[in-house]
Amino acid sequence: MKHFFLTLAFAFAALATASADNLSESILRHVASTLREYGDYEVRFTVSAEGMGTTSGEYVVSGDRYRIRIRQQEQFSDGRNRYEIYEADREVVIDRADRNSHDIFTNPTRAFDFAPEEFESTYRGKEKVGRKEADVIRLTPRSERTAQGIVTLYLDATTGLPLRIDYDYQGDRITVNLNRITPKQIDAENFVFDPARYADYEIIDFR
């Protein structure tokens, strides 16, 4: 009899885990679909890391193109190439865009688009983010080559939109709070590299 109850308990635990995983995948599909439907949008955020304090930034997305600004650093992509602008050093670094990345700092176009074949997702319940209730989802890369390590998403339980994202890469933790996400038509000039504008910068091209 004791063996029967133990077996039953394990069965219920397995069902609960499966249900949570199905829920997490459903929530992830919803947020990815919502942001795709926005098409063009603007995000205001704050980022903090241990020993580095907190700073604010913003980015805009239009399809597979983006532009992101944090302090005196700026980065943008036309969907093919990535341009990193370092104002303090008077440098521009050019490289191929990594369209497979999910890291909000290197490819915000896919920052909330996690495919099941790339990440194992687990629903972790609800928590408060500020005054809002959030669904919490833990994402573990299925490949060790995924740079951002373990990702934890906090998604508004009412709208499904992201409120916060935590990156934990071998103990190095970064928290990004999404303060505002606004659908907005973005001028295509945001994604065009004009060499004349950076005539006095050093151009470092890794393409």
Side-chain angles (χ1 to χ4, degrees):
M1 181 66 72
K2 182 178 180 181
H3 177 74
F4 172 77
F5 281 118
L6 284 174
T7 303
L8 195 61
F10 282 125
F12 276 120
L15 286 171
T17 300
S19 176
D21 289 347
N22 289 338
L23 176 58
S24 69
E25 290 183 11
S26 174
I27 293 171
L28 290 172
R29 284 194 297 270
H30 175 72
V31 66
S33 173
T34 299
L35 292 176
R36 279 195 297 269
E37 288 175 4
Y38 277 4
D40 293 8
Y41 57 93
E42 177 184 70
V43 177
R44 301 289 179 91
F45 65 87
T46 56
V47 56
S48 58
E50 188 175 350
M52 297 180 63
T54 301
T55 190
S56 59
E58 62 181 15
Y59 68 82
V60 294
V61 165
S62 179
D64 60 359
R65 303 174 298 175
Y66 68 86
R67 192 175 195 109
I68 182 169
R69 300 178 180 90
I70 305 175
R71 288 183 176 172
Q72 290 184 305
Q73 296 183 20
E74 192 171 359
Q75 179 187 145
F76 65 93
S77 173
D78 57 12
R80 297 183 304 276
N81 299 311
R82 184 176 73 234
Y83 304 89
E84 299 177 23
I85 315 298
Y86 297 96
E87 184 178 332
D89 298 325
R90 313 300 284 178
E91 287 182 353
V92 177
V93 178
I94 307 174
D95 205 347
R96 294 290 183 188
D98 184 357
R99 297 175 65 178
N100 294 318
S101 172
H102 298 269
D103 191 316
I104 200 170
F105 300 112
T106 58
N107 186 25
T109 67
R110 294 196 69 198
F112 303 100
D113 187 1
F114 295 94
E117 61 270 20
E118 296 177 298
F119 290 84
E120 179 182 353
S121 63
T122 307
Y123 184 71
R124 308 281 289 187
K126 295 184 186 294
E127 290 186 26
K128 286 284 187 178
V129 176
R131 296 182 178 180
K132 296 181 178 180
E133 189 171 65
D135 290 307
V136 183
I137 296 175
R138 175 72 56 84
L139 293 138
T140 305
R142 297 188 185 277
S143 170
E144 294 181 356
R145 292 175 294 180
T146 303
Q148 63 260 47
I150 296 174
V151 179
T152 305
L153 290 179
Y154 298 78
L155 303 162
D156 190 315
T158 301
T159 67
L161 290 174
L163 297 172
R164 172 177 149 189
I165 183 167
D166 291 351
Y167 296 102
D168 185 340
Y169 184 67
Q170 297 181 349
D172 292 329
R173 295 181 177 86
I174 298 175
T175 294
V176 183
N177 284 289
L178 292 304
N179 302 320
R180 189 172 71 192
I181 302 175
T182 309
K184 180 180 180 179
Q185 187 170 354
I186 308 300
D187 191 330
E189 290 297 317
N190 278 282
F191 317 110
V192 176
F193 178 66
D194 180 4
R197 184 178 175 184
Y198 305 100
D200 61 339
Y201 281 55
E202 179 183 3
I203 307 297
I204 303 171
D205 196 334
F206 290 115
R207 290 174 295 179

